[in-house]
Amino acid sequence: MVKRIRSAALCGLCAVLSGAGCEKPSLAGPGGSAGGPMASLNDSNPGANMKDELVRTDAEWKRQLTPDQYRVLREKGTERAFTGAYWNHHEPGAYRCAGCGQELFESETKFDSGCGWPSFSAPAATNRIETQLDDSLFMHRTEVLCSRCGGHLGHVFEDGPKPTGLRYCINSASLKFAPKGEEKAEEPATPGPATRHPGRNPE
């Protein structure tokens, strides 16, 4: 209980000060790769997350996404704690990327961390996400991104439940929920020609 309260307090304080919630320092090691259980997040299927990668122009993303989705997914923003659609959501199903429709997390791994953002102990598959070192705001964290469209999802921390010991702290605005039985991927409507290329969205 004390750990949960402390975690929620840290997340809330940093969200107020910086607009980038869930900023509890991660245990990522030097060079951008996380130590402990995070060390192998993208190692089990090397290169798999480069297939069918979706790239769109900034103008296309703005036409497709809502303002909140764009701020989080493309500008690495963070919604305020306890305000997102899924922080207290418990329906069985799958959570997909709001940008490209790729399945990212399953309801079976969702848990109540007390931080005010949707929390998961594991992704649907390791090749569905990418992680990278985030040293912004004078903190040492591990950022989580969609492997298909490169959209910012949130951060991952090493204070989650067993067996993974991880807490994926994710913005609701970056997700779209598919109820159980309706998990089939539905890619968002394309506002214009979409380029599929093993690269990132041009800035």
Side-chain angles (χ1 to χ4, degrees):
M1 178 62 73
V2 173
K3 184 177 180 181
R4 178 176 296 181
I5 293 174
R6 183 181 301 139
S7 176
L10 283 170
C11 290
L13 177 60
C14 291
V16 170
L17 294 176
S18 66
C22 280
E23 310 301 347
K24 182 176 180 181
S26 75
L27 302 180
S33 61
M38 286 194 284
S40 60
L41 284 178
N42 292 325
D43 294 340
S44 62
N45 196 0
N49 54 7
M50 295 302 291
K51 295 180 180 179
D52 200 32
E53 194 160 342
L54 180 62
V55 178
R56 286 180 176 149
T57 66
D58 190 60
E60 288 172 337
W61 283 122
K62 285 183 176 178
R63 286 197 297 269
Q64 175 188 320
L65 304 172
T66 68
D68 285 342
Q69 289 173 335
Y70 181 83
R71 184 176 65 86
V72 171
L73 285 166
R74 310 316 307 178
E75 297 184 326
K76 301 182 185 293
T78 300
E79 64 204 9
R80 294 179 62 185
F82 303 103
T83 63
Y86 302 127
W87 75 270
N88 195 31
H89 184 258
H90 305 291
E91 186 178 351
Y95 293 84
R96 299 190 172 277
C97 176
C100 68
Q102 173 168 254
E103 183 176 333
L104 301 172
F105 300 96
E106 299 174 339
S107 58
E108 288 83 356
T109 63
K110 192 172 187 293
F111 68 98
D112 180 14
S113 67
C115 72
W117 288 272
S119 297
F120 304 87
S121 59
T126 56
N127 65 341
R128 304 296 175 85
I129 62 167
E130 291 180 349
T131 58
Q132 65 182 26
L133 189 64
D134 179 3
D135 283 330
S136 63
L137 303 170
F138 307 102
M139 298 182 186
H140 194 56
R141 300 164 296 154
T142 302
E143 181 184 5
V144 182
L145 306 99
C146 172
S147 66
R148 185 169 182 237
C149 68
H152 171 77
L153 305 175
H155 293 85
V156 58
F157 305 96
E158 294 186 338
D159 58 4
K162 295 180 179 180
T164 67
L166 301 178
R167 172 173 62 94
Y168 290 84
C169 187
I170 307 299
N171 289 280
S172 292
S174 68
L175 302 173
K176 183 176 181 181
F177 180 73
K180 191 177 179 72
E182 301 177 20
E183 295 97 332
K184 185 178 179 180
E186 293 184 7
E187 184 175 316
T190 305
T195 303
R196 298 181 188 278
H197 185 273
R200 283 291 171 232
N201 184 44
E203 298 298 335

